[in-house]
Amino acid sequence: LAVALLAAAGILGAGGDDRAIARSGGAPSDNAYMDSATYNGSTECGLCHELTHEAWQKSFHPKKMRPADSSTVVGDWATDPVLNVSAGVTATPHLTKNGTSYYIDIDGTGSQVLRVDYVLGGLGWKQEYVVSIGRSKYVLPIQWNLETRVWVGVDAQDWYNATSGAATAPPKSQAWDRRCAGCHATGVEIAFEQDTGEWVASYEELCIGCEACHGPGSLHINPPEGRGREEFIWDNISSSVCGNCHIRGESVGMLGGMTLGYPVSAAGKVIRPGDPLDAFFVANPIDYPDGETSAVHRQQYYDYITHNHSRALGTVLASAQRSDTCLKCHSTDYRLAPLEERPTLDTARFSIEC
């Protein structure tokens, strides 16, 4: 939950006039307007929302996926990883660098040399690397651990024969496009190519940009005549927006005969802010035996909805001793609203949100 709170702070940490309007009821009640809106990119948002944009830049969200170069790669490319493929079987890819470009020779023989095109992360605890094969992208079987400063293997069995350790092509079903795209880029669309058996994702911005959480912003920038720009930006503070990515499971929809690793509807639409999560995704959290404590990261929304914070407002409303002053600790919209626009017990809508 702490990670989700920090991530949300990066997006929501600084405010402006639009945020006050939205919190007082000026924001849209549904996201139908997004059908007519287009994406503009986080740089465009920063032209007006300078403080919020600066806070976003310091968060993890813009680092979710970046082009690989000497300014973004943090792994030790002078040391070749030793990967455990199966019991008693290892593989040693060879890493090389040419100028600002990074390469991996999958088995060290020169038979499969790939350029690293993108990095995933690089702040906090790890960094992973993405290459292009055919029309899809794939996460390499190497991961740099920032704390221990060593290489560790990730899904090495997808890249090597379990018996011999010889290099093999990764299964097309393991493509980043099918497993990861919806939560590492903004404005994602996903397609399955019947002729090649590849999943191919397109996107508007290569990172979790402003519009990943606030929706496509063209109508906010240029609203129709007579309409307010606050009508065309998703500024809802509900934690459900965080839940679009900070949760584990599989999509409701199927593509190429398989589910995807991020929320996609039965119609093949990737989730947008304001869409109902249960129409796009089936959660499958990984817990310790107590059935409550998360055993893995990246399921903070599940942690939230099983925590008392998610029920804070309901607890107050059910109490015989309730009063508006309780909202100071039990309602996020109360805490964020301007003094003169704070909600009451009758109008408060949100519990303690991310």
Side-chain angles (χ1 to χ4, degrees), residues 16-28 220 228-231 233 235 336-338 341:
D17 291 341
D18 284 349
R19 295 205 55 77
I21 292 170
R23 289 169 185 154
S24 62
H220 177 66
R229 66 177 72 248
E230 71 276 2
E231 298 179 57
I233 189 70
D235 208 18
L336 295 180
E341 297 178 3

Side-chain angles (χ1 to χ4, degrees), residues 6 11 22-23 78 86 89 180 227 234 236 245 248 262 269 320:
L6 290 172
I11 297 294
R23 289 169 185 154
S86 60
V89 178
C180 315
R227 305 285 297 275
W234 194 257
N236 192 307
C245 282
R248 289 179 181 266
Y262 48 92
K269 174 187 172 185

Side-chain angles (χ1 to χ4, degrees), residues 120-202:
L120 303 179
L123 293 177
W125 59 94
K126 67 179 182 179
Q127 185 173 73
E128 295 180 313
Y129 306 90
V130 178
V131 298
S132 300
I133 302 175
R135 297 191 61 196
S136 299
K137 301 175 179 63
Y138 296 84
V139 180
L140 286 169
I142 60 173
Q143 174 184 294
W144 179 252
N145 187 310
L146 274 71
E147 182 175 352
T148 61
R149 300 194 60 78
V150 298
W151 291 106
V152 295
V154 179
D155 296 331
Q157 69 278 1
D158 291 337
W159 292 80
Y160 301 96
N161 182 281
T163 302
S164 66
T168 61
K172 292 180 179 179
S173 62
Q174 293 300 92
W176 170 89
D177 307 62
R178 186 186 79 83
R179 300 173 63 201
C180 315
C183 291
H184 284 269
T186 301
V188 172
E189 295 184 358
I190 182 67
F192 180 72
E193 304 292 340
Q194 293 285 352
D195 55 339
T196 63
E198 294 173 296
W199 285 263
V200 181
S202 61

Side-chain angles (χ1 to χ4, degrees), residues 1-10 61 242 246 299-301 304 353-354:
L1 182 58
V3 175
L5 289 167
L6 290 172
H61 282 167
C242 308
H246 291 272
Q299 56 182 38
Q300 295 93 342
Y301 182 63
Y304 167 76
E353 307 292 327
C354 296

Side-chain angles (χ1 to χ4, degrees), residues 58-351:
K58 296 175 183 178
S59 77
F60 283 7
H61 282 167
K63 284 86 174 178
K64 290 293 96 177
M65 192 162 181
R66 295 171 290 170
D69 59 35
S70 55
S71 69
T72 59
V73 173
V74 298
D76 179 10
W77 233 252
T79 302
D80 290 341
V82 178
L83 310 178
N84 293 315
V85 179
S86 60
V89 178
T90 62
T92 304
H94 179 52
L95 307 180
T96 58
K97 179 182 177 184
N98 184 0
T100 60
S101 297
Y102 293 77
Y103 298 86
I104 181 170
D105 181 349
I106 295 297
D107 62 0
T109 68
S111 62
Q112 190 178 357
V113 178
L114 301 168
R115 186 185 69 186
V116 177
D117 293 319
Y118 306 99
V119 300
L120 303 179
L123 293 177
W125 59 94
K126 67 179 182 179
Q127 185 173 73
E128 295 180 313
Y129 306 90
V130 178
V131 298
S132 300
I133 302 175
R135 297 191 61 196
S136 299
K137 301 175 179 63
Y138 296 84
V139 180
L140 286 169
I142 60 173
Q143 174 184 294
W144 179 252
N145 187 310
L146 274 71
E147 182 175 352
T148 61
R149 300 194 60 78
V150 298
W151 291 106
V152 295
V154 179
D155 296 331
Q157 69 278 1
D158 291 337
W159 292 80
Y160 301 96
N161 182 281
T163 302
S164 66
T168 61
K172 292 180 179 179
S173 62
Q174 293 300 92
W176 170 89
D177 307 62
R178 186 186 79 83
R179 300 173 63 201
C180 315
C183 291
H184 284 269
T186 301
V188 172
E189 295 184 358
I190 182 67
F192 180 72
E193 304 292 340
Q194 293 285 352
D195 55 339
T196 63
E198 294 173 296
W199 285 263
V200 181
S202 61
Y203 46 84
E204 298 292 338
E205 187 173 7
L206 188 65
C207 68
I208 299 303
C210 303
E211 291 164 300
C213 299
H214 296 291
S218 62
L219 295 177
H220 177 66
I221 296 171
N222 295 301
E225 186 175 354
R227 305 285 297 275
R229 66 177 72 248
E230 71 276 2
E231 298 179 57
F232 301 100
I233 189 70
W234 194 257
D235 208 18
N236 192 307
I237 59 175
S238 171
S239 299
S240 61
V241 173
C242 308
N244 290 353
C245 282
H246 291 272
I247 196 166
R248 289 179 181 266
E250 61 184 10
S251 64
V252 168
M254 300 184 71
L255 204 60
M258 300 185 72
T259 58
L260 296 94
Y262 48 92
V264 178
S265 70
K269 174 187 172 185
V270 179
I271 199 168
R272 301 179 306 192
D275 286 332
L277 182 59
D278 58 1
F280 289 74
F281 203 67
V282 178
N284 185 23
I286 302 172
D287 291 334
Y288 284 110
D290 64 6
E292 297 179 357
T293 307
S294 286
V296 294
H297 73 296
R298 195 174 52 77
Q299 56 182 38
Q300 295 93 342
Y301 182 63
Y302 169 75
D303 294 339
Y304 167 76
I305 61 177
T306 57
H307 190 276
N308 287 335
H309 279 167
S310 67
R311 299 181 287 274
L313 181 57
T315 300
V316 168
L317 296 178
S319 172
Q321 287 78 42
R322 63 185 180 274
S323 71
D324 288 349
T325 58
C326 300
L327 297 176
K328 296 168 72 174
C329 293
H330 286 259
S331 169
T332 297
D333 42 337
Y334 180 95
R335 292 172 64 85
L336 295 180
L339 180 62
E340 68 278 4
E341 297 178 3
R342 284 177 174 171
T344 66
L345 287 170
D346 293 329
T347 59
R349 297 170 53 203
F350 298 101
S351 288

